Amino acid sequence: MSETNPQLEMNNLENEETALFSPYVYITMGIIFFWLILIIDPAEALNNISRYLFYFSIFISAIITLFVASFYSNYKSNLKLSYQTMVYMIIILGVLLRLFYTYYTPYWVRQHDVGTEIDGYGHLSYIYHFATTFELPAYNSGQFYHPPLHHFISGMFIRLFSLLGYTTERTYESLQYLTCFYSSLAIFISYNIFENLCSNKGLRLICLLLVSLNPTFIILSGSINNDMLSILFFLICLSYLIKWYNESTYKNIIIMALALGLGMMAKLSVVMIAPVIAAVFLYKLIKNYNNFNIYKQFLIFGIISIPLGMWHSLLYLYRFKQPLGYVLPLDPASDIYTGNYSFFDRFIFYPIGEFINSPYAFPFEDYNLWGYVVKCFTFGEYTFAENVLFQSWILLIFSALLMLSSVACVFYLIFYYGFIKNKAFFNIMLGIWTTQIISFVYFNIKYPFGCTMDTRYITPAIICGAYFIYLFFETSANIKRQLLINKLFYVLILGFGISSIWFYMLIF
């Protein structure tokens, strides 16, 4: 009996009829979003109702509705799920999981440098400042050194909810729906990236699933600091860089420039995509050095992106003598300092004991970067209740294996570079991944603190990792000895998705 290849079976999706049931999706999502944000007050609605049953009913009823709608929309095709239907399913599942997490997570829980005092120096105070003054702050203390885009938008959001008559606590809770929206939109942008990178539709679904159900994006969906908006702009910039490489139009380069500039207005770290952009520009220039249109596009890109991205840094350099690329300094005497450990212990040696003691990352205790990254990728910097300890170990095991496999795929693809169909795309994504990792390591060398090891600083690398897994499947499709490895990969990816849903439905 001949052995079947799951990848080739997935290719059959290419020929299936596209099913567009978007009206069902949008109506369902609109009702749920409107209900959660504008009608239901958690403090009042849950006084006499079990939280688990309440949230679980929201999630399950939405999923059932979407499945019924999708099957109904495919009725003429004998109830077969089309490729487009599967795309919708994965996206909507990710959006619902983000809404679910956002709704049961208070605005002061699992946050980064947010603070709960409006007269302090955390992100919430920065947001409140814009909500009440409409002006840039007169100082750069605490988190006020950041560029203002996210905090300004959030401040206007607070002002809107205040005008609608909501309580102060309710307006603060509403901020999470902004970042939930950003995280949800990141699914669509990521899929757009994969559409341009991945020709195999069946395998493209794997990439989409790895982003849609990714724990880092789920946690960031409820975080009200500026991380998620900056990541969203980074992904938009990457998407249009790939589009511009394929089709060097003014539209693509203008949107890319806007995304880079606005991203740097949200958080300066978005500039880390600039080296890859420069490399692509240089390649295009060498190939088209006699094309005057290319020079005009480069000029337009600079005119748009540089003022947008740099005005705040230059202003604060003038007003406060704040250095370019400034990061808030921390006290080496603090408990979170890791500089007292050797370079070998922090970056080379992998402490198995540290890994198996707990599934969670401890910024005040852990010191090894790579062990921390695996845990933080899965659970952030946080610990969770004892009742989900078993689920957390299951998710951590799948996450660790998936991350190690993704890194292994990088070396595999470099070794089998000649088998890659589109080497330019691989080079772009490898450039993004490498830049992220190198800058992350440098950041941890320069600022040796537990909080510096957080994977939110390298979130775009998740998109690259998903693409490398796709390329592994694509380049190994016709190698018989790797069919078993491919099947194991499918099991690993499915297990990761299921365990992520299982855990993040139970942790409140």
Side-chain angles (χ1 to χ4, degrees):
M1 181 180 294
S2 61
E3 187 173 11
T4 60
N5 187 341
Q7 179 173 329
L8 296 178
E9 291 177 358
M10 295 187 77
N11 285 340
N12 293 331
L13 291 169
E14 299 270 358
N15 300 319
E16 290 189 3
E17 180 184 355
T18 300
L20 298 176
F21 66 103
S22 55
Y24 302 101
V25 175
Y26 300 146
I27 290 172
T28 303
M29 290 301 298
I31 292 172
I32 294 172
F33 214 93
F34 181 81
W35 181 40
L36 292 178
I37 299 177
L38 299 178
I39 298 178
I40 299 297
D41 186 340
E44 297 178 1
L46 301 180
N47 284 337
N48 300 310
I49 303 175
S50 165
R51 277 183 176 269
Y52 180 80
L53 291 177
F54 183 74
Y55 296 129
F56 186 77
S57 65
I58 294 173
F59 191 77
I60 295 301
S61 61
I63 292 297
I64 291 175
T65 303
L66 289 171
F67 267 90
V68 170
S70 66
F71 278 114
Y72 176 75
S73 67
N74 283 278
Y75 182 76
K76 293 183 179 180
S77 58
N78 298 320
L79 298 180
K80 291 182 180 179
L81 284 174
S82 70
Y83 166 75
Q84 193 65 37
T85 301
M86 295 176 72
V87 169
Y88 280 136
M89 287 296 178
I90 295 173
I91 290 176
I92 297 305
L93 184 60
V95 172
L96 287 173
L97 198 55
R98 284 157 174 74
L99 278 171
F100 190 62
Y101 174 84
T102 298
Y103 195 68
Y104 67 63
T105 303
Y107 73 90
W108 65 87
V109 173
R110 289 186 286 276
Q111 300 292 337
H112 298 283
D113 306 315
V114 167
T116 57
E117 301 295 330
I118 60 174
D119 56 351
Y121 299 103
H123 288 287
L124 184 61
S125 301
Y126 197 178
I127 291 168
Y128 186 77
H129 173 85
F130 277 114
T132 54
T133 69
F134 297 95
E135 298 177 353
L136 283 171
Y139 46 84
N140 66 335
S141 304
Q143 302 304 319
F144 283 65
Y145 78 92
H146 280 288
L149 181 60
H150 167 73
H151 304 88
F152 177 79
I153 295 173
S154 298
M156 297 307 100
F157 206 67
I158 282 183
R159 198 165 184 83
L160 171 63
F161 271 68
S162 298
L163 292 174
L164 293 174
Y166 291 116
T167 63
T168 301
E169 287 290 310
R170 187 72 184 281
T171 58
Y172 294 163
E173 289 285 353
S174 71
L175 293 175
Q176 292 179 294
Y177 290 101
L178 267 180
T179 47
C180 181
F181 172 73
Y182 300 152
S183 183
S184 300
L185 189 57
I187 306 176
F188 291 89
I189 301 301
S190 299
Y191 179 71
N192 188 259
I193 292 172
F194 298 138
E195 268 193 316
N196 288 283
L197 292 176
C198 310
S199 58
N200 186 306
K201 289 186 176 181
L203 293 178
R204 195 186 299 161
L205 293 174
I206 291 176
C207 298
L208 180 62
L209 184 145
L210 291 175
V211 174
S212 185
L213 305 182
N214 190 278
T216 297
F217 281 104
I218 294 170
I219 292 173
L220 287 176
S221 68
S223 180
I224 62 175
N225 69 359
N226 55 350
D227 284 324
M228 194 59 240
L229 181 60
S230 66
I231 292 166
L232 175 63
F233 278 120
F234 188 106
L235 297 180
I236 294 173
C237 189
L238 174 58
S239 175
Y240 278 88
L241 173 63
I242 295 167
K243 289 181 178 179
W244 182 83
Y245 178 85
N246 279 334
E247 189 177 358
S248 300
T249 64
Y250 284 97
K251 172 189 172 183
N252 289 339
I253 203 165
I254 288 173
I255 296 177
M256 189 201 330
L258 287 170
L260 177 60
L262 292 173
M264 291 174 66
M265 279 181 62
K267 193 170 184 178
L268 202 58
S269 59
V270 175
V271 76
M272 292 312 303
I273 196 175
V276 179
I277 294 176
V280 174
F281 281 5
L282 180 61
Y283 175 80
K284 280 284 189 176
L285 183 61
I286 294 172
K287 297 282 287 186
N288 304 276
Y289 66 91
N290 57 349
N291 184 350
F292 184 69
N293 191 51
I294 288 291
Y295 295 93
K296 289 197 296 184
Q297 291 194 18
F298 290 169
L299 180 62
I300 290 173
F301 180 85
I303 289 173
I304 294 173
S305 63
I306 293 175
L308 276 177
M310 292 301 298
W311 72 266
H312 180 267
S313 296
L314 295 175
L315 176 64
Y316 274 39
L317 175 64
Y318 172 75
R319 291 178 64 185
F320 309 117
K321 309 302 181 190
Q322 178 175 300
L324 298 179
Y326 172 79
V327 175
L328 184 68
L330 297 175
D331 187 357
S334 67
D335 294 337
I336 209 169
Y337 184 69
T338 60
N340 53 321
Y341 292 95
S342 69
F343 182 89
F344 183 84
D345 288 333
R346 293 178 59 207
F347 299 102
I348 307 299
F349 177 72
Y350 191 86
I352 299 298
E354 181 181 300
F355 183 80
I356 64 177
N357 283 339
S358 171
Y360 308 124
F362 297 99
F364 288 90
E365 299 177 14
D366 296 344
Y367 55 88
N368 181 269
L369 181 63
W370 310 118
Y372 194 93
V373 162
V374 173
K375 294 181 177 182
C376 191
F377 166 82
T378 313
F379 307 112
E381 296 180 338
Y382 315 107
T383 57
F384 299 89
E386 287 292 326
N387 66 308
V388 293
L389 185 60
F390 174 75
Q391 290 89 342
S392 65
W393 275 114
I394 296 297
L395 178 55
L396 180 64
I397 291 170
F398 277 114
S399 296
L401 291 174
L402 192 61
M403 291 180 70
L404 289 173
S405 300
S406 177
V407 174
C409 286
V410 175
F411 294 100
Y412 171 91
L413 293 167
I414 293 174
F415 185 79
Y416 287 101
Y417 186 76
F419 290 88
I420 298 174
K421 293 180 180 178
N422 195 316
K423 295 178 177 59
F425 288 162
F426 173 69
N427 293 336
I428 290 173
M429 298 302 281
L430 183 62
I432 296 290
W433 186 83
T434 304
T435 304
Q436 290 281 301
I437 299 301
I438 292 175
S439 64
F440 186 52
V441 172
Y442 172 77
F443 188 43
N444 276 273
I445 292 173
K446 189 174 182 180
Y447 302 97
F449 296 92
C451 58
T452 312
M453 299 188 290
D454 198 301
T455 51
R456 62 196 172 103
Y457 297 118
I458 53 169
T459 302
I462 294 172
I463 310 299
C464 302
Y467 176 63
F468 295 146
I469 291 173
Y470 164 86
L471 280 184
F472 171 82
F473 280 116
E474 187 177 64
T475 57
S476 65
N478 298 317
I479 304 176
K480 290 185 178 180
R481 66 177 180 274
Q482 297 199 183
L483 292 180
L484 177 60
I485 297 176
N486 289 3
K487 289 179 180 179
L488 292 175
F489 235 136
Y490 284 120
V491 173
L492 175 60
I493 292 166
L494 183 61
F496 168 77
I498 293 173
S499 58
S500 181
I501 295 172
W502 187 22
F503 181 82
Y504 282 97
M505 282 178 60
L506 297 175
I507 62 174
F508 53 87

